[in-house]
Amino acid sequence: DTAVSQTPKYLVTQMGNDKSIKCEQNLGHDTMYWYKQDSKKFLKIMFSYNNKELIINETVPNRFSPKSPDKAHLNLHINSLELGDSAVYFCASNKQGQETQYFGPGTRLLVL
Amino acid sequence: SQKIEQNSEALNIQEGKTATLTCNYTNYSPAYLQWYRQDPGRGPVFLLLIRENEKEKRKERLKVTFDTTLKQSLFHITASQPADSATYLCAPYTGFQKLVFGTGTRLLVSP
């Protein structure tokens, strides 16, 4: 199936831990994004990469570090997790110049 | 500051009626605006895009209008069906290769 996939789907962890979320797309896109959707369903962009280069970095704490090993992958590492990090994290992708974004199924992170 | 407002309360309508959802934005002029559908536990899915020089766009039972004077987009679903129940997000393009999403309006279509 051609799609944007994320792992894991669910992540429950303790405060202070470090965790990673992975995203892969096989759509041949060159731009990838991380969004955070909070409990009020507000979907906010965090980062964007184009051809492995960071192009959008919203005001996100330094504890969040994205990494793009290649055009098809964008990972998100979170250090020292806090309660407020609990949310659904969505990965998305598109081809540069095309407006439509394709979203993954989301990773539900719960920090206890 | 830039703001996008959608009805935060759920819209309840009966099957067969037309659903109309509103998206208002302030303090910027988007070159285009997109509408996405989000089902519970899933990522948003693109539905329609309308550009600033287009008044109206249609796709099957969906229709979007874009009034740059009023700074408003309306999203219509005609002959609504229970399967149309979902949250609908508007996303004006704010520039800098960035979409900003509204908080969404939950639509409930009852049989």
Side-chain angles (χ1 to χ4, degrees), chain A residues 45-47 57-65 76:
Chain A
I45 190 165
M46 300 172 70
F47 301 104
N57 184 350
E58 292 295 283
T59 47
V60 178
N62 290 341
R63 301 181 294 102
F64 289 79
S65 50
L76 183 65

Side-chain angles (χ1 to χ4, degrees), chain A residues 3-54:
Chain A
V4 181
S5 58
Q6 293 179 231
T7 52
K9 190 166 182 182
Y10 298 97
L11 187 51
V12 181
T13 188
Q14 298 286 333
M15 240 177 16
N17 283 351
D18 303 340
K19 290 291 177 189
S20 290
I21 307 171
K22 297 188 176 192
C23 177
E24 176 181 0
Q25 55 89 10
N26 61 5
L27 299 165
H29 293 162
D30 51 16
T31 306
M32 297 183 74
Y33 308 81
W34 277 114
Y35 287 86
K36 178 181 180 181
Q37 189 169 45
D38 60 25
S39 56
K40 293 182 180 173
K41 306 298 181 190
F42 183 49
L43 187 65
K44 190 170 173 12
I45 190 165
M46 300 172 70
F47 301 104
S48 171
Y49 271 76
N50 176 256
N51 283 318
K52 303 194 297 175
E53 187 181 330
L54 181 66

Side-chain angles (χ1 to χ4, degrees), chain A residues 9 31 33 35 37 40-43 45 48 50 55-56 58 90 96 99-106 108, chain B residues 32 34 36 38-47 49 51 87 89 95-104:
Chain A
K9 190 166 182 182
T31 306
Y33 308 81
Y35 287 86
Q37 189 169 45
K40 293 182 180 173
K41 306 298 181 190
F42 183 49
L43 187 65
I45 190 165
S48 171
N50 176 256
I55 54 172
I56 294 174
E58 292 295 283
F90 286 101
Q96 191 177 22
E99 300 95 348
T100 302
Q101 293 186 17
Y102 294 79
F103 283 80
R108 283 138 194 86
Chain B
Y32 61 84
Q34 300 185 43
Y36 286 75
Q38 186 173 23
D39 290 284
R42 295 181 168 244
V45 174
F46 170 77
L47 294 174
L49 180 152
R51 300 189 188 280
T87 296
L89 306 165
F96 306 106
Q97 303 180 55
K98 197 164 70 167
L99 283 181
V100 177
F101 284 84
T103 48

